[in-house]
Each structure stands twice: as C-alpha cells, then as structure tokens.
C-alpha cells in the first residue's frame, strides 16, 4: 500500500499570535513551528500500517524551504521519503490543487491529511483533495482499518460517532482519536540520523490561482477584567448571568 | 440569482442551525438585492423557514440521502445551485456541513470561507470575517471566485425572524450510488451536542475523577447545556475524546461556557474564545482562566456546583 501523509507546518499550540505589515501578514518572529497536530495523528497511523501491514509512507508539504525541518521531523519519525512542493501555501484550494497533482503523478492508495490545520483552520484541504482526485473521502476520522481494497473508518459526528465502509483510493481527514496520544512518537537520535539520508524531493508547483486572499487580520478586543462572586453568594452569579449577560 | 442556503435537519426536523444560516442568508441576500432559496433534504416540515427570510424551498425527498453522505449531499446542493444560478451558497459549521463544503467547492469551482462570524463587510470584492488561529485572531478574507461558499460559525449570527412565507418546489437531484456506506451510528440522541449547544458546562482535572461527573451532567441538565471537558481529562480516559474542547479538540462557540476545575491552558482558551460569556469555578485564584473569564467563583467545585444546581433549579422554577 502506498500512503501519502499531508503535513502542514504550523505554529506550536502555545504560540502567541501576532501580525506585521499593517496586520496583513502572520508574524513568524520567535515562533516555533511543528507538524500540525491533526497531521501527526495521521502520520502515526500511517506508521502503524507500515509496520503491521506493510506500506510505503511519503510525506508532502506545500511551502517554501523554511518548512523542510518539519518534513525532516516526519522522516525522523519514520516516513520513507518527503516531497516539498516549492510554493508558498496561500489558500486551501491552491494547496489542494498542488497536492492533487502530486497524487495524480505518483498514485497513492491512501492519502491522510489532518481534518484542519491549527493556524488558518480552513478545514478544506482533505475534502478538496478528495474532490480533485475523485477518491472516496471520510472526514473527522477517528479510526481506520484497511483490508485489501476495503476500508472501514470511524468518524466523529456531532454528538457521537459512525462507522462507514468504503474502498481505496481513499482520502481521510484525520484527527485526535485516530491513534492514542501516548502512541505519538518523538524522533530519537537514530531516526534523526537516518532522516538525513532519506530523500526530500523538491518539486515545482503547477499553476493554481488562489481562490481566496487574506486582506487583513485582527485580534479579539481586549477583555474587561473578571467579576468575582463569593462562593456563598451564588444568587448574585445567577442574577448577573440572567440580568447582565442575559445568557440564562 | 438567489442566495442558496443548505438547511440541515435531523430525523426529519430542521435543526436550530438551519434557522441561523437562513437568517444569515437573508442578510446577505438583502446586501445583494436578491432572494433566498433553501435546500432541505428529507425534511418533514419546512414551513417555518419562511419566518427566517427564505423565499423558496427546494424540497428533496430521496432514499439515497437517508444516511448523511458528503459526496451525495454536495452533489445535490451543487445541482440546486446550478439550477438557481446561485453565486453565494451558505452552509453551517456542523461536522456534516464542514464535511460536504470542500467537495461542493470543487464541484462549483467556488472559493470557500469557513468559520465565518459576520455578514460580508463588502460584496465587491466579497469580503467576510472568519475566525482563525483557533479563535486567537480573525481573518478578513476575500473570495475571488464567481461562486462563493460561506460556512457560518454556530451562534455567531443568531436567529433573526422576518415575517414571510416560502414557496415550496420539489427537487430531484441526479445522484450516483454512494461509495461510502454507513454501517452503524452511535449517538446519544437525548443529549445536547457541543456543536448545537448555546450553553456548555465543562469539567477539568480539578474534578479529581470520572466518578464525580454526575454533578457536571446535572448542572448541564438544569441549564439545557452540553457537557465538555479539558484535554487532560479526555487523555486520562475520564471522558470521551468527542467532549474534549480546545485547539486539538472541538471549538466551542456557545453563548455561555462554564469551566469547572479547569486552569485554562492557552490551547484550551483558544478553543473556547469564541464563546460569548465565560464563567470559571476554580479553587486557585491564580488560575489563568480567571484572566479570560467574565465571571468567576474562587471556591471548591464540590461545594459550589451542588449549591449552584439547587439555586438554578429554584431560579428555573420561578
């Protein structure tokens, strides 16, 4: 089985978010970048398929050279090779078009992408990639088994979960639950050394005009300070929620 | 050239979010000087949509759409948009709508803006404000394609009634057999879901163990709220993953979010920032959550919550 794992290069979850150039660009100054957490669950599931059932695992990212350390980390975790599509990730649609081109060129049985990246939260790349490559698609995937050409996937739905069956080729939008958090891997020294020798292929982009553009960013308005209520005066809390905040 | 809106239903009944996206679609249609057409799938009673600004309903009754299937639903909405020559398509932020919208975007060659929190600030260029960086910031995004898809964040716009009635037209999309088959669904139908909830009651490690969740559920029952939890709680297996709110869990955009025994890690705060009013109950006055909260009680959850439940019961009985 040939597996492609799409890797988004995102600010660490603890990052403070700021903007520059008149609030038109994300300020990456001092920000640590990581593998998008939803993608990391998918990468770990791909490693499970590789080790238990036999599979080759390629990781791919659409971005400039600054994303290569993130791809190297994925290689150190155990992916066999990496592809970087050499163009900035602008909007979701153009990223999906670049990824679709890689899928069409190389042919993969299973494509795993995170259900959304934790920076722009667009949540559109896996679905668009499935649409552009005419593959079957399961989003919010929290469980995946593959037997031959048949896949059984569990996905989270509002208020519960459902199990679906489908066939390869398949794109999934993965998330927490796809593997246990304790199964996530930290690259060890041997993995890091081996990653240096693994291929990281840089491919040039196809033409894909952005369908959306970021005009500007803004931060939420600063909050007024908290109103504290004494624990023996909960009537006051109810009064505030009813009459002031008008939420109960 | 009407604005098209997909109105979701569950077991034949329109969901509350259906009326919210209809209200939003009406506001956009007014900006564009046009009408609103709704797509309803296997819905028993669609008459109420007229009260939220819908002029026409394309009513689909189709056995192939009994189980939700993203590709088939996207194709049905695509064919409706093509028939109506719609340039703007509105969907909600439910798991199902977020599942189908990217497929619809490919089908209609449309730009898609998700997590949108306000009506367009401009219709030319078509610019909407959306939440990004897990609610740590907003992005003003221009959609450059001829057809635009807008995914509206839950509880961001609210319900706006407008007196009217909708005409109904049966619509029969042409759908191939689905390649993704639903085998089983495991869903607690009597519980409010986090996605639909106006109020969310959430517990953290301060609750000390899963055996203490009874009071969280009771408080949620009194308020008609959904229950949720912090990441450590779902990691410890005290509560299911589906209840974990935060940056890598579910985002919560409730009107009221009550956090009990949660200190307020940056990833958790990011996930609940879009909620309008936040209440924190925690023994530690230095807990970072108090800086993000509107109201706070410094106290022991095991004393405060049972008393709050009793007082709320009395308040509700008034």
């Amino acid at each position: 089985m040939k597996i492609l794992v799409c890797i988004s290069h995102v600010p660490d979850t603890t990052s403070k978010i700021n903007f520059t150039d008149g609030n038109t660009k994300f300020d990456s100054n001092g920000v640590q970048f990581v593998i998008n957490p939803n993608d990391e669950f998918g990468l770990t599931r791909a490693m499970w398929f590789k080790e238990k059932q036999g599979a080759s695992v390629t990781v791919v990212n659409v971005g400039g050279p600054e994303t290569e350390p993130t791809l190297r980390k994925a290689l150190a975790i155990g992916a066999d090779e990496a592809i970087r599509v050499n163009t900035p990730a602008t909007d979701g649609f153009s990223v999906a078009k670049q990824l679709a081109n890689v899928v069409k060129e190389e042919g993969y049985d299973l494509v795993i992408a995170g259900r959304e990246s934790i920076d722009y939260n667009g949540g559109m790349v896996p679905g668009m990639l499935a649409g552009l490559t005419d593959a079957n698609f399961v989003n919010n995937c929290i469980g995946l088994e593959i037997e031959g050409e048949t896949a059984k996937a569990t996905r989270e739905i509002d208020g519960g979960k459902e199990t679906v069956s489908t066939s390869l080729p398949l794109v999934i939008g993965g998330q927490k639950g796809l593997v246990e958090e304790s199964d996530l891997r930290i690259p060890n020294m041997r993995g890091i050394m081996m990653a240096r020798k693994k291929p990281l292929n840089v491919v040039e982009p196809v033409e894909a005009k952005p369908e959306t553009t970021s005009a500007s960013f803004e931060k939420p308005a600063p909050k007024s300070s908290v109103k504290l209520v004494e624990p023996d005066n909960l009537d006051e809390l109810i009064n505030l929620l009813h009459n002031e905040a008008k939420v109960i | 050239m009407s604005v098209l809106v997909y109105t979701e239903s569950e077991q034949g009944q329109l969901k509350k979010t259906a009326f919210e996206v209809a209200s939003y679609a009406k506001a956009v249609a007014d900006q564009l000087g046009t009408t609103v057409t709704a797509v309803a799938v296997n819905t028993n009673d669609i008459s109420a949509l007229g009260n939220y600004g819908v002029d026409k309903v394309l009513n689909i009754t189709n056995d192939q759409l009994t189980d939700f299937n993203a590709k088939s639903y996207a194709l049905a909405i695509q064919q409706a948009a093509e028939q109506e020559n719609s340039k703007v398509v509105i969907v909600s932020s439910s798991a199902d709508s977020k599942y189908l919208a990217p497929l619809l975007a490919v089908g209609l060659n449309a730009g898609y803006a998700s997590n949108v929190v306000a009506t367009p600030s401009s219709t030319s260029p078509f610019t909407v404000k959306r939440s990004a960086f897990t609610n740590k910031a907003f992005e003003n995004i221009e959609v450059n394609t001829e057809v635009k898809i807008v995914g509206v964040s839950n509880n961001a716009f609210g319900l706006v009634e407008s007196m009217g009635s909708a005409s109904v037209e049966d619509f029969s999309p042409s759908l191939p057999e689905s390649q993704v088959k639903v085998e089983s669904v495991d869903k607690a139908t009597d519980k409010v879901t986090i996605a639909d909830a106006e109020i969310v009651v959430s517990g953290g490690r301060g609750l000390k163990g899963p055996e203490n969740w009874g009071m969280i559920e009771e408080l949620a029952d009194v308020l008609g709220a959904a229950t949720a939890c912090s990441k450590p709680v779902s990691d410890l297996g005290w509560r299911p993953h589906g209840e974990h709110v935060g940056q890598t869990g579910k985002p919560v955009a409730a009107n009221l979010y009550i956090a009990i025994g949660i200190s307020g890690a940056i990833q958790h705060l990011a996930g609940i920032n879009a909620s309008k009013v936040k209440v924190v109950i925690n023994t530690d006055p230095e807990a970072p959550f108090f800086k993000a909260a509107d109201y706070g009680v410094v106290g022991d959850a095991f004393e405060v919550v049972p008393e709050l439940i009793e007082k709320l019961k009395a308040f509700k009985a008034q």
Side-chain angles (χ1 to χ4, degrees):
Chain A
M1 181 163 56
K2 276 183 83 172
I3 304 175
L4 182 70
V5 183
C6 306
I7 300 283
S8 213
H9 167 82
V10 299
D12 176 75
T13 58
T14 58
S15 302
K16 293 229 174 0
I17 302 300
N18 291 303
F19 302 97
T20 59
D21 294 6
N23 284 331
T24 58
K25 287 196 174 62
F26 174 70
D27 183 2
S28 58
N29 199 17
V31 171
Q32 171 95 21
F33 283 83
V34 296
I35 299 174
N36 181 44
N38 289 317
D39 304 345
E40 202 176 350
F41 290 115
L43 175 62
T44 309
R45 191 65 192 163
M47 297 314 302
W48 185 92
F49 283 120
K50 178 182 167 178
E51 288 160 12
K52 305 283 184 197
Q53 295 185 201
S56 66
V57 177
T58 303
V59 290
V60 63
N61 167 265
V62 178
E66 71 281 0
T67 72
E68 288 192 4
T70 299
L71 283 173
R72 288 276 176 214
K73 185 180 172 194
L75 292 171
I77 285 171
D80 300 300
E81 61 172 336
I83 298 170
R84 178 172 68 81
V85 182
N86 188 26
T87 184
T90 47
D91 71 322
F93 217 145
S94 55
V95 168
K97 283 177 182 168
Q98 300 300 343
L99 294 172
N101 186 54
V102 171
V103 171
K104 283 174 187 164
E105 292 271 316
E106 302 292 329
Y108 293 93
D109 306 297
L110 173 65
V111 179
I112 303 179
R115 72 152 192 223
E116 70 175 22
S117 64
I118 61 161
D119 49 5
Y120 289 88
N121 308 121
M124 61 186 77
V125 170
M128 286 176 169
L129 180 53
L132 291 166
T133 58
D134 205 26
N136 291 320
F137 175 46
V138 178
N139 204 19
N140 298 98
C141 195
I142 53 171
L144 180 65
E145 306 287 342
I146 291 173
E147 205 66 57
E149 292 294 303
T150 308
K152 186 168 269 197
T154 306
R155 72 178 196 96
E156 193 174 287
I157 56 176
D158 289 337
K161 57 188 178 180
E162 75 177 16
T163 303
V164 298
S165 61
T166 187
S167 57
L168 305 181
L170 172 67
V171 175
I172 67 157
Q175 62 175 60
K176 186 181 175 188
L178 195 53
V179 294
E180 290 303 319
E181 188 123 358
S182 54
D183 291 337
L184 295 177
R185 298 167 188 205
I186 299 163
N188 56 27
M189 189 48 74
R190 185 164 173 270
I192 293 166
M193 297 304 285
M194 283 175 68
R196 291 185 185 166
K197 293 182 188 149
K198 291 179 181 174
L200 194 162
N201 302 312
V202 178
V203 301
E204 291 308 311
V206 290
E207 196 181 333
K209 202 164 64 130
E211 314 283 0
T212 57
T213 41
S214 280
S216 63
F217 295 93
E218 52 193 274
K219 304 241 297 214
K223 272 194 49 57
S224 53
S225 58
V226 61
K227 272 190 191 170
L228 289 178
V229 175
E230 291 301 318
D232 56 1
N233 190 17
L234 294 175
D235 287 322
E236 175 63 8
L237 179 63
I238 292 169
N239 175 41
L240 288 166
L241 292 176
H242 181 62
N243 292 315
E244 187 176 84
K246 300 188 191 310
V247 287
I248 61 170
Chain B
M1 194 301 257
S2 59
V3 170
L4 195 80
V5 57
Y6 166 51
T7 53
E8 284 178 62
S9 55
E10 192 160 24
Q11 293 174 326
Q13 303 296 314
L14 287 164
K15 292 169 72 173
K16 194 203 98 187
T17 52
F19 300 116
E20 185 171 20
V21 288
S23 304
Y24 183 96
K26 168 68 175 163
V28 176
D30 285 349
Q31 280 180 284
L32 294 168
T34 184
T35 56
V36 177
T37 300
V39 179
V41 178
N42 293 339
T43 307
N44 299 332
D45 183 4
I46 45 185
S47 56
L49 286 172
N51 301 334
Y52 295 89
V54 173
D55 299 285
K56 180 165 92 173
V57 182
L58 294 178
N59 192 31
I60 301 175
T61 307
N62 189 320
D63 288 344
Q64 283 177 278
L65 301 174
T66 303
D67 291 321
F68 176 79
N69 177 280
K71 262 195 178 174
S72 304
Y73 271 66
L75 195 55
I77 298 166
Q78 178 187 331
Q79 289 170 19
E82 285 164 352
Q83 175 186 296
E84 297 296 302
N85 191 25
S86 297
K87 302 296 179 229
V88 180
V89 180
I90 313 287
V91 297
S92 82
S93 285
S94 71
D96 287 351
S97 281
K98 283 187 158 180
Y99 190 3
L100 70 84
L103 296 165
L104 180 61
V106 171
L108 290 171
N109 199 19
Y112 166 42
S114 58
N115 307 326
V116 169
V117 295
T119 50
S121 57
S122 153
T123 55
S124 183
F126 192 90
T127 309
V128 282
K129 181 172 168 175
R130 61 183 297 276
S131 85
F133 297 93
T134 327
N135 304 313
K136 290 182 200 167
F138 297 104
E139 179 186 26
N140 292 300
I141 189 173
E142 291 177 11
V143 186
N144 309 321
T145 42
E146 189 186 1
V147 182
K148 294 125 178 111
I149 301 175
V150 177
V152 183
S153 271
N154 291 352
N155 295 324
F157 188 73
L159 302 178
V160 181
E161 289 198 52
S162 56
M163 284 305 117
S165 62
S167 64
V168 179
E169 195 177 287
D170 286 335
F171 183 67
S172 303
S174 160
L175 303 172
E177 196 186 340
S178 169
Q179 298 300 307
V180 179
K181 302 210 182 303
V182 176
E183 302 276 332
S184 63
V185 177
D186 178 7
K187 186 171 177 173
T189 48
D190 58 334
K191 284 185 91 179
V192 185
T193 66
I194 293 173
D196 293 333
E198 290 183 20
I199 303 177
V200 173
V201 178
S202 190
R205 227 173 350 185
L207 271 295
K208 296 194 167 85
E211 67 279 7
N212 296 322
W213 239 260
M215 65 181 186
I216 299 289
E217 281 168 347
E218 195 179 350
L219 180 56
D221 276 349
V222 175
L223 290 166
T227 56
C229 69
S230 64
K231 182 171 180 294
V233 165
S234 73
D235 287 348
L236 286 162
W238 295 359
R239 301 297 291 175
H241 288 312
E243 285 198 3
H244 160 207
V245 300
Q247 196 155 22
T248 53
K250 278 202 163 68
V252 172
N255 289 331
L256 171 61
Y257 183 79
I258 304 178
I260 301 166
I262 301 175
S263 62
I266 188 169
Q267 298 94 332
H268 187 84
L269 295 179
I272 59 99
N273 248 348
S275 296
K276 293 190 180 78
V277 176
K278 295 145 208 154
V279 175
V280 172
I281 300 169
N282 203 305
T283 46
D284 176 11
E286 301 300 320
F289 217 143
F290 282 113
K291 289 199 174 70
D294 298 278
Y295 305 104
V297 180
V298 179
D300 184 348
F302 295 97
E303 291 167 15
V304 173
V305 175
E307 195 182 335
L308 184 60
I309 291 167
E310 291 313 311
K311 288 195 180 291
L312 277 167
K313 279 182 182 167
F315 167 77
K316 293 275 179 186
Q318 276 174 23

